[in-house]
Amino acid sequence: MNERVMMKHGAGGRAMRRLVEEVFVRGAPDGLPAGSVGLAAMDDGAAIPIGDGRWLVITTDSHVVSPIFFPGGDIGRLAISGTVNDLAVMGATSALALTCAVILEEGFSWAELERVQASLRATCKEASASIVTGDTKVMGRGEMDGIVLNTTGVAITDRVVRDSGLRPGDRIVVTGTLGDHGMAVLATRHALGLQGNLRSDVAPIASMIAHVLSRHGPALTAMKDPTRGGLASALSEMAQKSGVGVVLDQAALPITDEVRAAGELLGIDPLVVANEGKAVIGVRAEEADAVVATLREHPLGKKAAIVGTCTGARPGALVLDTGFGRRRVTEPEGEPLPRIC
Ligand code: MG
């Protein structure tokens, strides 16, 4: 086979999932203890039982965003938030420790590196997390583009929340507006005149998730952070793994005017664009309004909304109800443009 890796294979949609499944997951030995969430689950992180009804949760991410500074954040804030958020949506809202590996291109600006480091530190403080070990490598000029950060996080939790627990009747809640991160990065890259009001949502959301779990834990059936590939990709994956259909109510989707405008200009649907400070949560119907009210008590959850319903019909399908009719939303092949996070 002469197939080669393409940019789409790192873009969070169907292409990336196929690469991970076919190359890394298929045939992987699974020597984990019973009750573990391992590689094959392809969840936001792994979970390994450590006794006393507790799990160790582990996640890792590499960050390659271009440009590295963008409205609302930078690669450092992204690295910490991405890792803390993957732990949080597994139910592990208190990061025990983080690692950070830095790969730099020869010639990279020392001053910019210090800016990135200050941002890493500030975001750790905001997330009540610490980097406890790391690594630094330098590659030759032209052998890579500037800087790559890899972060790993570990945390302990007494309940793991999977991305596969949706049930027919559950409501789908998003914790805020959609598409902000990806659109802000794309608008900057394309020098669109409208990025003034367009800002990335990149933020550590662990305290918001802890708040909603503490109040409504048993009613939350599934969680995921809708990063690369946006809400469409995250919900498609959740629906497929859970064996339910999901009907999204278009009128209920929280999307800012700026993101809508950028989406129209670029011809990109905000539903397939990355978020870096949001969660999508499956909630038992009877508690959905209360969950939204609790989320709105948190500064990062002010725009939380119920956006859809799970059904027993058409398992694995994501359907958008436009108010005039229904259409199938297919999981994107990948994020519309690469190097978003
Ligand atoms: Mg994730």
Side-chain angles (χ1 to χ4, degrees), residues 43-45 59 61 82 85-87 89 163 223-228:
D43 208 320
D44 297 285
T59 190
D61 282 280
N85 294 351
D86 271 337
L87 292 174
V89 295
D163 61 6
M223 278 200 285
K224 197 167 192 63
D225 56 340
T227 54
R228 282 171 300 174

Short mmCIF file of all heavy atoms in Angstrom, two decimals, residues 43-45 59 61 82 85-87 89 163 223-228, ligand 1:
data_model
loop_
_atom_site.label_atom_id
_atom_site.label_comp_id
_atom_site.label_asym_id
_atom_site.label_seq_id
_atom_site.Cartn_x
_atom_site.Cartn_y
_atom_site.Cartn_z
N ASP A 43 -11.10 7.28 24.06
CA ASP A 43 -11.80 8.32 24.84
C ASP A 43 -10.84 9.50 25.00
O ASP A 43 -9.75 9.52 24.43
CB ASP A 43 -12.24 7.72 26.19
CG ASP A 43 -13.48 8.39 26.74
OD1 ASP A 43 -13.59 9.63 26.62
OD2 ASP A 43 -14.34 7.69 27.31
N ASP A 44 -11.21 10.48 25.82
CA ASP A 44 -10.36 11.66 26.01
C ASP A 44 -9.08 11.34 26.77
O ASP A 44 -8.11 12.10 26.73
CB ASP A 44 -11.14 12.75 26.75
CG ASP A 44 -12.34 13.21 25.94
OD1 ASP A 44 -12.14 13.94 24.96
OD2 ASP A 44 -13.47 12.79 26.26
N GLY A 45 -9.08 10.23 27.48
CA GLY A 45 -7.90 9.78 28.19
C GLY A 45 -8.09 8.34 28.59
O GLY A 45 -9.14 7.75 28.30
N THR A 59 -3.79 11.41 30.27
CA THR A 59 -4.04 11.89 28.91
C THR A 59 -2.80 12.59 28.38
O THR A 59 -1.97 13.08 29.17
CB THR A 59 -5.26 12.83 28.85
OG1 THR A 59 -5.59 13.08 27.49
CG2 THR A 59 -4.99 14.15 29.54
N ASP A 61 -1.26 15.13 24.89
CA ASP A 61 -1.56 15.93 23.69
C ASP A 61 -0.30 16.60 23.19
O ASP A 61 0.51 17.06 23.98
CB ASP A 61 -2.49 17.09 24.04
CG ASP A 61 -3.93 16.67 24.19
OD1 ASP A 61 -4.59 16.51 23.17
OD2 ASP A 61 -4.37 16.53 25.35
N GLY A 82 -5.81 22.16 27.14
CA GLY A 82 -6.16 20.93 26.43
C GLY A 82 -6.01 19.71 27.31
O GLY A 82 -6.86 18.81 27.31
N ASN A 85 -8.42 19.81 30.41
CA ASN A 85 -9.81 19.59 29.98
C ASN A 85 -10.08 18.13 29.60
O ASN A 85 -11.16 17.62 29.87
CB ASN A 85 -10.16 20.53 28.81
CG ASN A 85 -10.15 21.99 29.24
OD1 ASN A 85 -10.04 22.29 30.42
ND2 ASN A 85 -10.25 22.88 28.27
N ASP A 86 -9.09 17.47 28.99
CA ASP A 86 -9.28 16.05 28.68
C ASP A 86 -9.41 15.24 29.97
O ASP A 86 -10.21 14.30 30.04
CB ASP A 86 -8.12 15.52 27.83
CG ASP A 86 -8.38 15.68 26.33
OD1 ASP A 86 -9.55 15.78 25.93
OD2 ASP A 86 -7.40 15.70 25.57
N LEU A 87 -8.63 15.59 30.99
CA LEU A 87 -8.79 14.92 32.29
C LEU A 87 -10.19 15.20 32.85
O LEU A 87 -10.88 14.30 33.32
CB LEU A 87 -7.74 15.41 33.29
CG LEU A 87 -6.27 15.04 33.02
CD1 LEU A 87 -5.37 15.75 34.05
CD2 LEU A 87 -6.05 13.53 33.09
N VAL A 89 -13.07 16.04 31.45
CA VAL A 89 -14.23 15.40 30.83
C VAL A 89 -14.21 13.88 31.00
O VAL A 89 -15.18 13.21 30.65
CB VAL A 89 -14.41 15.79 29.35
CG1 VAL A 89 -14.73 17.28 29.22
CG2 VAL A 89 -13.20 15.42 28.50
N ASP A 163 -17.22 8.78 27.17
CA ASP A 163 -17.90 9.52 26.10
C ASP A 163 -18.93 8.63 25.40
O ASP A 163 -19.50 9.00 24.39
CB ASP A 163 -16.88 10.10 25.09
CG ASP A 163 -16.04 9.04 24.39
OD1 ASP A 163 -16.31 7.83 24.59
OD2 ASP A 163 -15.12 9.41 23.64
N MET A 223 -19.48 12.65 28.68
CA MET A 223 -18.85 13.97 28.50
C MET A 223 -17.73 13.85 27.48
O MET A 223 -17.06 12.83 27.39
CB MET A 223 -18.23 14.48 29.81
CG MET A 223 -19.21 15.13 30.76
SD MET A 223 -18.38 16.21 31.96
CE MET A 223 -17.68 15.00 33.06
N LYS A 224 -17.50 14.96 26.77
CA LYS A 224 -16.37 15.04 25.84
C LYS A 224 -16.08 16.51 25.59
O LYS A 224 -16.99 17.34 25.68
CB LYS A 224 -16.73 14.35 24.52
CG LYS A 224 -15.52 14.01 23.66
CD LYS A 224 -15.90 13.06 22.53
CE LYS A 224 -14.65 12.50 21.88
NZ LYS A 224 -13.83 11.69 22.81
N ASP A 225 -14.82 16.85 25.30
CA ASP A 225 -14.55 18.24 24.91
C ASP A 225 -14.51 18.31 23.38
O ASP A 225 -13.78 17.57 22.74
CB ASP A 225 -13.27 18.78 25.57
CG ASP A 225 -12.04 17.93 25.30
OD1 ASP A 225 -12.19 16.75 24.93
OD2 ASP A 225 -10.93 18.46 25.45
N PRO A 226 -15.34 19.19 22.81
CA PRO A 226 -15.45 19.24 21.34
C PRO A 226 -14.32 20.06 20.73
O PRO A 226 -14.50 21.20 20.34
CB PRO A 226 -16.82 19.91 21.11
CG PRO A 226 -17.04 20.74 22.33
CD PRO A 226 -16.28 20.10 23.47
N THR A 227 -13.13 19.48 20.65
CA THR A 227 -11.95 20.19 20.14
C THR A 227 -11.90 20.04 18.61
O THR A 227 -12.82 20.47 17.94
CB THR A 227 -10.68 19.71 20.87
OG1 THR A 227 -10.61 18.29 20.76
CG2 THR A 227 -10.72 20.08 22.34
N ARG A 228 -10.80 19.49 18.07
CA ARG A 228 -10.70 19.39 16.61
C ARG A 228 -11.92 18.70 16.01
O ARG A 228 -12.34 17.68 16.51
CB ARG A 228 -9.46 18.57 16.23
CG ARG A 228 -8.18 19.32 16.32
CD ARG A 228 -7.03 18.37 16.13
NE ARG A 228 -7.03 17.32 17.15
CZ ARG A 228 -6.21 16.29 17.16
NH1 ARG A 228 -5.34 16.14 16.21
NH2 ARG A 228 -6.27 15.40 18.13
MG MG B 1 -10.81 15.40 24.26
#
